[in-house]
């Protein structure tokens, strides 16, 4: 017999083999009892989206001036697994994903600090970055689609908003939103030629529209032993 055969023959004839097997069995049972187990284990993968808006800029400009530098800034942090971003008209988004098991709160605080320390590298004309954390529990599990042959997009969105108000009252609902349709809005089309002829800058028109869209209470009117609140609507 070779060395493997002699070793096997020694274990077969040895009385300690039964003790070794018993010790291994007891160790396995002990490990099974003390090891924590979860039916649905929670895997922590910290991640967040950084949204930077730059009105009037194209995708190439957003990619070169916003997305690419921001990816380099975020990738230099410790604990970051990878970063990826995309650029479109007027804004860019950079997604930062940390390594599995990293503390979510500490990772977000670290990312905020890194972003605040490099705000001077944001190009002129860009707005303040907006950070939106991503949670694995935020994945939608139910989608309701509404369609109608008689209702318009604005009316259909209004119906969806009413349905959403009832769904939010359901126990266990974490987050819900309405996507699509046409939200109510007033579009103001400005003629550049007439604006230039009147000598009014575009910023002044914007301020006038914002002031006209303000709603505020004006006080109370007392008449015939009654108090009537007065409010100006936008």
């Amino acid at each position: 017999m070779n060395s493997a055969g002699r070793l096997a023959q020694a274990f077969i004839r040895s009385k300690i083999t039964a003790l070794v097997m018993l010790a291994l069995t007891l160790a396995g049972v002990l490990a099974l009892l003390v090891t924590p187990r979860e039916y649905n284990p929670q895997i922590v993968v910290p991640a967040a989206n950084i949204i930077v808006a730059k009105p009037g800029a194209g995708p190439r400009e957003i990619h070169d001036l916003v997305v690419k530098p921001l990816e380099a800034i975020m990738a230099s942090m410790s604990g970051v697994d990878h970063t990826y971003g995309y650029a479109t008209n007027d804004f860019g988004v950079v997604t930062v994903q940390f390594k599995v098991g990293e503390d979510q709160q500490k990772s977000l605080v670290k990312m905020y600090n890194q972003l605040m320390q490099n705000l001077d590298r944001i190009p002129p004309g860009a707005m303040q970055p907006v950070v939106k954390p991503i949670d694995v529990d935020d994945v939608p599990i139910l989608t309701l689609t509404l369609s109608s042959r008689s209702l318009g997009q604005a009316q259909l969105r209004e119906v969806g908003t009413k349905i959403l108000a009832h769904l939010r009252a359901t126990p266990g609902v974490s987050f819900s939103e309405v996507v699509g349709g046409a939200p109510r809005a007033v579009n103001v089309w400005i003629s550049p030629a007439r604006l230039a002829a009147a000598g009014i800058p575009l910023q002044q028109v914007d301020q006038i529209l914002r002031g006209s869209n303000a709603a505020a209470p004006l006080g109370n009117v007392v008449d015939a032993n009654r108090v009537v609140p007065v409010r100006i609507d936008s």
Side-chain angles (χ1 to χ4, degrees), residues 40-200:
N40 187 16
Q42 296 293 326
I43 301 176
V44 179
V45 185
N49 286 330
I50 304 176
I51 305 172
V52 181
K54 193 175 188 297
R60 171 59 67 179
E61 184 179 358
I62 293 291
H63 178 268
D64 294 339
L65 299 181
V66 177
V67 174
K68 194 173 181 180
L70 194 56
E71 282 186 302
I73 293 172
M74 294 295 108
S76 62
M77 289 190 304
S78 61
V80 174
D81 189 9
H82 67 275
T83 62
Y84 55 92
Y86 67 90
T88 183
N89 290 322
D90 302 325
F91 73 94
V93 179
V94 174
T95 302
V96 182
Q97 181 175 333
F98 291 83
K99 296 180 181 179
V100 179
E102 292 285 334
D103 186 83
Q104 186 172 8
Q105 185 175 2
K106 292 182 179 179
S107 300
L108 293 178
V109 172
K110 187 191 306 181
M111 187 178 63
Y112 274 107
N113 293 336
Q114 184 79 353
L115 186 61
M116 292 299 105
Q117 291 175 2
N118 294 274
L119 278 181
D120 56 333
R121 300 178 62 179
I122 301 296
M127 302 178 65
Q128 185 79 9
V130 177
V131 179
K132 301 188 69 174
I134 302 174
D135 196 348
V136 293
D137 295 332
D138 293 338
V139 178
I141 63 172
L142 177 64
T143 302
L144 300 179
T145 304
L146 304 179
S147 62
S148 175
R149 296 182 178 179
S150 59
L151 300 179
Q153 295 186 8
Q155 295 173 328
L156 201 60
R157 184 179 178 89
E158 186 177 355
V159 173
T161 304
K162 293 180 180 179
I163 295 176
L164 192 66
H166 293 282
L167 294 178
R168 286 173 176 171
T170 305
V173 175
S174 173
F175 176 76
S176 56
E177 63 176 343
V178 177
V179 179
R184 298 187 54 167
V186 176
N187 295 324
V188 180
W189 301 96
I190 299 176
S191 173
R194 298 179 63 182
L195 200 65
I200 301 176

